[in-house]
Amino acid sequence: MVATLFIVFFSYETGNRYFGDPDEGRYVEIPREMVVSGDYITPRLNGLKYFEKPALFYWMQAAAIHTLGINETTMRIWPIIFAILGCLTVFFIGYKYEDREIKLKKENIDTKEIVESDKEKKAKKEWRKFLEYDGSTPQEKI
């Protein structure tokens, strides 16, 4: 359900929007030039060597061009996939930790007690004794 929601959200009207200037057009042109020239080692932008980014993303885009052809949807497929994977990762990590917190609350376990060390417990106990001490000796209390 969540994955479907993310897929619809990120891919809505993907093929109907133009590439944004200048970044999106640049990251489309580099893999296109890789495919046209056949040189997958040296990324080029308008014939000039372009080494500002790692080539892995360009190679993935070039593979998408080979398989699906060049259009707006194809060139946005990898950013959409990474966006969905990132959102799902955050969702499942949050779900995992929220579930742990709920289980601890159901069992009436305070999460602070889990983290608290024996040394801290002993120090708190001594501090309570110190605060309760009113200056009188044991014989005066009797």
Side-chain angles (χ1 to χ4, degrees):
M1 174 73 177
V2 174
T4 307
L5 179 69
F6 287 140
I7 290 169
V8 169
F9 177 74
F10 285 114
S11 62
Y12 178 72
E13 297 237 347
T14 301
N16 295 333
R17 293 180 308 204
Y18 297 109
F19 295 124
D21 284 334
D23 294 332
E24 203 171 17
R26 180 182 317 130
Y27 299 124
V28 168
E29 180 61 19
I30 293 170
R32 190 197 68 78
E33 286 190 24
M34 282 182 168
V35 171
V36 169
S37 70
D39 181 12
Y40 294 95
I41 303 299
T42 309
R44 297 177 191 275
L45 178 63
N46 297 327
L48 300 172
K49 294 179 181 178
Y50 194 82
F51 291 110
E52 287 187 21
K53 301 280 183 184
L56 179 62
F57 183 74
Y58 301 138
W59 294 334
M60 293 166 40
Q61 291 286 75
I65 291 172
H66 273 296
T67 16
L68 304 171
I70 188 160
N71 57 46
E72 284 90 354
T73 306
T74 301
M75 298 314 296
R76 289 186 175 121
I77 194 81
W78 284 110
I80 289 170
I81 289 170
F82 286 131
I84 291 168
L85 289 175
C87 289
L88 288 175
T89 301
V90 169
F91 174 79
F92 286 117
I93 287 172
Y95 181 78
K96 177 183 175 186
Y97 285 108
E98 179 187 22
D99 192 38
R100 178 175 177 249
E101 189 74 26
I102 290 171
K103 286 179 185 175
L104 291 173
K105 286 181 181 177
K106 281 183 182 176
E107 296 171 6
N108 292 328
I109 297 174
D110 189 14
T111 53
K112 292 178 184 175
E113 290 178 13
I114 295 172
V115 178
E116 193 174 324
S117 68
D118 291 334
K119 207 176 211 183
E120 288 172 330
K121 287 179 185 177
K122 186 176 180 183
K124 282 184 180 180
K125 189 176 180 183
E126 293 295 323
W127 183 248
R128 282 191 206 107
K129 283 183 185 178
F130 175 76
L131 291 176
E132 290 172 0
Y133 180 69
D134 60 356
S136 60
T137 61
Q139 285 91 11
E140 291 174 358
K141 287 188 177 182
I142 297 175

